[in-house]
Amino acid sequence: CCNWGKWGPDDELGTLNYITPDKMVAASRLVKQGKSFGLALPFDANGPQRGLRGRFNPVRLMISSGSDPGSTYSDDVVTMPLQCGTQWDSLAHIFWNGVMWNNKPQELVTSQGAPVNSIDKMKNHLVTRGVLLDIARYKGVDWLDEGYAVTGEDLDGAAARQGVQGGRGDALVVRTGHQTMCLARGNWGTYAGGDAPGLSLRTAPWLYQKEIAALCTATWGV
């Protein structure tokens, strides 16, 4: 399932190369209703981080507020690790045997940041068709059990049930119900780094063959 070198030795986009200008135009033509749906978690002091690997929840400091004498505006400062909540992972996030995407040495990522495979390279490319597959609903449950491995058969089954298909250049959004479970229980528990339902490693060929551009899930690890 390796795409290294497919778009040349200097590529820093990976499967986002599947999102062509024509793909963006085609996605825009699918819009039928003027509705939006937020998929992000609240950034606040209540979760979901629990200190794993030094990650903590956002800390906000007001440096100007309406209660300050003579103030004419409000302003604040937020301190947080970039993994504190919802985020896109860059191709510099994961290393494998000393290298990252497209065979670049992991030593290139230093305390100064990532000169290659950084997230800013993707800023003009994340516009495409989104395909939501609700695996929990497909299985007839409010949420999948922690540790449940979502298979290619699950993805195909949910797609058939919903009457959709994922393909080249699509952003695949997989719902496991794990966030629903945490919210129902009233705490995040081990959400940020514990056992969770998610895609099996055996779904890699499924994603590779369908040329999926990007993958999103409601769990901490993909």
Side-chain angles (χ1 to χ4, degrees), residues 112-219:
Q112 301 300 310
V116 298
N117 294 335
S118 52
I119 196 68
D120 61 295
K121 308 295 174 48
M122 303 180 177
K123 62 184 179 182
N124 296 326
H125 298 272
L126 288 168
V127 178
T128 189
R129 185 178 80 130
V131 176
L132 169 64
L133 296 182
D134 191 337
I135 306 302
R137 180 173 293 183
Y138 170 65
K139 291 292 184 178
V141 296
D142 291 328
W143 52 77
L144 300 175
D145 291 336
E146 293 176 307
Y148 181 88
V150 177
T151 65
E153 290 75 16
D154 289 335
L155 298 174
D156 283 331
R161 176 81 58 83
Q162 297 173 205
V164 297
Q165 288 293 331
R168 173 181 284 196
D170 288 336
L172 180 66
V173 185
V174 178
R175 179 181 178 270
T176 66
H178 197 51
Q179 289 181 12
T180 303
M181 183 195 76
C182 294
L183 294 173
R185 294 179 177 177
N187 68 79
W188 288 104
T190 60
Y191 175 85
D195 290 338
L199 271 66
S200 163
L201 289 175
R202 293 186 176 88
T203 60
W206 191 97
L207 299 168
Y208 178 80
Q209 291 162 12
K210 291 186 179 294
E211 298 180 331
I212 298 296
L215 176 63
C216 316
T217 72
T219 55

